[in-house]
Amino acid sequence: MKLDDLPMRRVARIAAIDWPLLPPADAKRLRNLGFDEGVAVEKLHRAPLGRDPIACRVGRMTVAIRRAHAIAITVAVDGEAEAA
């Protein structure tokens, strides 16, 4: 499932990031913020009416990302990674 579709307050692991979907500067920023395969992520809050930004906890840090970035990130909830 995409990070954008992850239910609020549900912890998952980043399974894959479609880096080519992101502009190079945005991809670099996400890498610098700790977004990478295997990292724990949790969607904490989203702006009203489904707009940007989306607040996420990545590791121990809380960051705001755009919805377009969340769509490029595939996550797996514990137990789903083995089944896939």
Side-chain angles (χ1 to χ4, degrees):
M1 107 177 41
K2 300 296 183 181
L3 178 56
D4 187 50
D5 299 324
L6 184 69
M8 296 292 175
R9 302 288 181 178
R10 184 90 183 256
V11 178
R13 294 245 172 238
I14 297 176
I17 301 174
D18 193 354
W19 296 114
L21 279 181
L22 303 170
D26 293 349
K28 181 178 179 180
R29 177 179 169 267
L30 288 179
R31 283 187 183 105
N32 289 339
L33 289 171
F35 284 83
D36 202 1
E37 286 82 5
V39 175
V41 65
E42 176 183 7
K43 188 161 71 170
L44 301 174
H45 181 75
R46 116 179 288 152
L49 303 174
R51 296 191 314 227
D52 291 335
I54 296 171
C56 298
R57 181 170 293 128
V58 179
R60 298 182 326 178
M61 183 174 30
T62 302
V63 297
I65 63 172
R66 294 181 175 159
R67 186 169 178 248
H69 299 157
I71 291 170
I73 300 170
T74 302
V75 298
V77 178
D78 288 338
E80 289 181 5
E82 295 82 20

